[in-house]
Structure formats: C-alpha cells, structure tokens
Amino acid sequence: MSAELLRSVEQYLSSAFLDGDIPSRLSEAMRYSLLAGGKRLRPVLCLSVARACAKDAADEVTRAILPFAAGLEMIHTNSLIHDDLPAMDDDDLRRGCPTCHKAFDEATAILAGDALLTDAFGHMARADVPAERLLEAIRLTADAAGACGMVGGQMLDLLGEGKKLSMEELRILNAKKTGALLFNACECGALLAGATKTQRDAARRYGSELGIAFQITDDILDVVGDEATVGKEVRHDEESAKATWPSLLGLEGAREQARLHCLAAEKALDGVFSGPDADFLRETSRKLVNRTH
Ligand code: GRG
C-alpha cells in the first residue's frame, strides 16, 4: 500500500521546480535536498489517512490530495536544511548526503529552504478539494509550521541546550518541533477527505501519539544508531548537551515510552478505521519502535 503512495509522492516531487523562472543554482539546491531521499512519512501519512476516511475511490483521493501532501514534504525539507545550518545544529550529513550548505553554500541553503517553504503553500493550494476545506487545511499547516508549532519548537530546542528539562517541558518541546507537522499531516488528511468528526478525532489522536513516539525514537537513534544507516551524524545530542528522552529516562525508559505511545496510536484507530490504508497506519506505528533510520 505505502509503496504505491510513496511512488506517487516521489513522482510529484521529482517533477517540482523544473519549470518556471528559477535561477538554476536555487532550483538545483532545492531539488538536491528534496530528492536526496527521506522516508516521505508526512505526505504518506496525510494520503493514507485521507484514503482511510474518504468515501471516494482511493486513487481519486490520492490524485486530489497529492499536491497538498507534497507541500508538507517541502516544508519538512526546509526544516531539515535550516536545522543543519551552522547557526542551528551544524550538521554535515543529511539523508546520507552532504547537507545543503555543504554541497552548495550557506546563503544558497538558506534561500533553498525559504523557497521550499514558500512554494509549498502554492503547491498545497493546488489540491483538488472543496475550497473551504483546503483553506482550513492551509491555515492549520501554517500554524503547525510557524511560531506556535515547529519554529517555536526549534526555539525551545536551542534554548534547552545545556539545561535539564522536566519530562513535561520535553514533551511540549517535542510536540512542537517534531509532533506538530506529523499531527498536522494526519489531521489535514482527514479534513481534506471530508472525514466525520469521529474519524477526524481518531486521526488527531493517532497523529499526536505517533508524533511523540517518532521524536523519542529519533533521540534513541542518535544514541544507538550508526551514521551510514541513519543517514545523518549521530551522538550529536550529547555533544550539544541537548535535552532528550534517553538523557531523561535512560535508553530502556525511552524505549518503553516509545512503545506505549505507538500502542496508543494504534488504539486510536480501533473501531474507526479498517481496510488497507488503516492497516498501513497500524503497521507504521508498529514499525516505528524498531526503526533504524
Ligand atoms: C520549516 C517553518 C520551518 C522552520 C524551520 C529549523 C526549524 C525551523 C525546525 C527544525 C525542526 C526539526 C528538524 C525537527 C526534527 C524533526 C525530525 C525528527 C526530523 C527527521 O525526520 P525524518 O526522520 O526525516 O522523517 P526524513 O529524512 O526521513 O524525511
């Protein structure tokens, strides 16, 4: 199921930023980071939730919502490019390749991120769904990415360096920095597909639990993963004295928390969603606990 969605997302992204009057160095940097790989989790979640909610044929739902889902991946890629900059986490490796500022230069990487973020909203606006739903989804996405969401989370992350945060503080930081966009992908999938209130609530619960579990496993990978498999530098959190789940709870404690949140994500779907797309959502949360990249 996800293989088919993944193909659709890859196809859409690979044809983006080829046409138009973009200075070639800028489109090269944007496409370099966008097409460097990545799990495409946010667009695939958005499409899977939409297909699980919709009454229309799955292929038709994919076609209609794909530009929106692809826009989410562009926003996410911007966050990775900017997160890797020397002024932020200062990383040399991302998605198994030199980071954008290493492959190009800092100014180009900043602009590539800016362009991906801005153009993402243009792509999202091209989704073929009723205007009222689309407008709400775009507003929710701006909130999830902006000051109250991902950008705010990144600020908390930088402010938290060298400090011992409480579990509640770490939960809030993660919900913003990582959780907001994952949650939003699920909620917007439901919204765009015209979900019932019950379906939308279930998608929100699923996205919220998955978002926490995802950051916990990201923190765990930084401790136990190897650079070649993870595709980015590891042991970085300790070096930067970051507040993380393993530093707060130990590795086993963090693993247990990830397991609990993944179980809660699966449970949120029970009695609401069935069929192949719901199975894929369940499988995603099950696989998350043991992910290696
Ligand atoms: C995009 C509006 C906007 C602002 C950027 C720099 C910044 C503000 C935010 C940083 C957010 C960030 C990098 C959070 C970490 C989230 C995370 C765990 C990323 C890794 O996601 P994966 O594993 O990556 O899905 P792939 O490469 O598979 O897509």
Side-chain angles (χ1 to χ4, degrees), residues 42-65:
R42 291 141 194 89
V44 169
L45 279 176
C46 178
L47 292 167
S48 301
V49 170
R51 287 159 53 122
C53 291
K55 293 190 193 80
D56 300 334
D59 286 352
E60 177 49 26
V61 178
T62 306
R63 184 202 61 76
I65 296 178

Side-chain angles (χ1 to χ4, degrees), residues 2-290:
S2 77
E4 173 203 332
L5 290 183
L6 203 54
R7 244 192 330 273
S8 302
V9 170
E10 292 297 348
Q11 257 169 22
Y12 187 99
L13 294 176
S14 60
S15 63
F17 311 116
L18 283 172
D19 313 320
D21 192 14
I22 310 174
S24 59
R25 186 167 174 81
L26 181 59
S27 61
E28 276 164 27
M30 292 163 79
R31 287 173 55 77
Y32 171 82
S33 289
L34 193 60
L35 305 180
K39 296 179 286 296
R40 313 306 193 196
L41 186 58
R42 291 141 194 89
V44 169
L45 279 176
C46 178
L47 292 167
S48 301
V49 170
R51 287 159 53 122
C53 291
K55 293 190 193 80
D56 300 334
D59 286 352
E60 177 49 26
V61 178
T62 306
R63 184 202 61 76
I65 296 178
L66 188 55
F68 186 94
L72 296 180
E73 185 66 21
M74 293 171 194
I75 297 175
H76 168 60
T77 303
N78 162 36
S79 79
L80 302 181
I81 295 174
H82 283 190
D83 187 55
D84 291 334
L85 288 168
M88 300 263 183
D89 274 5
D90 194 9
D91 276 301
D92 292 351
L93 193 70
R94 173 68 72 177
R95 294 177 162 173
C97 302
T99 46
C100 193
H101 66 274
K102 285 281 165 192
F104 294 82
D105 56 71
E106 261 187 71
T108 306
I110 291 169
L111 292 175
D114 289 344
L116 282 168
L117 175 61
T118 311
D119 283 315
F121 286 89
H123 282 273
M124 289 189 286
R126 293 185 179 102
D128 187 9
V129 296
E132 206 172 307
R133 282 184 208 163
L134 185 54
L135 194 59
E136 188 182 351
I138 288 175
R139 179 183 63 75
L140 289 173
T141 303
D143 289 348
C148 292
M150 184 162 51
V151 179
Q154 179 76 349
M155 188 77 250
L156 293 178
D157 190 58
L158 295 176
L159 292 171
E161 282 182 12
K163 297 206 179 98
K164 187 155 172 56
L165 300 189
S166 68
M167 208 159 136
E168 184 54 12
E169 287 170 322
L170 188 58
R171 200 190 56 73
I172 292 170
L173 187 165
N174 288 171
K176 287 174 178 289
K177 187 183 85 164
T178 305
L181 207 57
L182 288 163
F183 172 86
N184 179 72
C186 297
E187 170 156 51
C188 288
L191 164 62
L192 293 169
T196 63
K197 182 173 180 327
T198 307
Q199 288 175 324
R200 187 160 163 183
D201 287 347
R204 287 165 60 89
R205 276 200 306 282
Y206 173 84
S208 157
E209 296 293 347
L210 200 80
I212 305 173
F214 193 80
Q215 183 59 51
I216 298 175
T217 55
D218 203 71
D219 289 352
I220 293 172
L221 280 181
D222 187 75
V223 180
V224 302
D226 69 282
E227 191 170 289
T229 316
V230 180
K232 62 181 179 182
E233 289 174 36
V234 290
R235 323 291 172 255
H236 215 266
D237 291 341
E238 199 178 352
E239 257 171 48
S240 321
K242 290 254 188 210
T244 65
W245 291 92
S247 69
L248 201 65
L249 302 176
L251 259 182
E252 261 326 298
R255 283 196 179 110
E256 181 56 15
Q257 279 297 315
R259 263 194 296 274
L260 291 173
H261 286 291
C262 286
L263 271 178
E266 256 194 86
K267 214 169 153 35
L269 306 175
D270 288 351
V272 183
F273 295 116
S274 56
D277 289 293
D279 291 345
F280 168 73
L281 294 171
R282 288 194 175 85
E283 194 189 318
T284 301
S285 72
R286 240 171 261 155
K287 282 186 178 163
L288 194 58
V289 184
N290 298 315

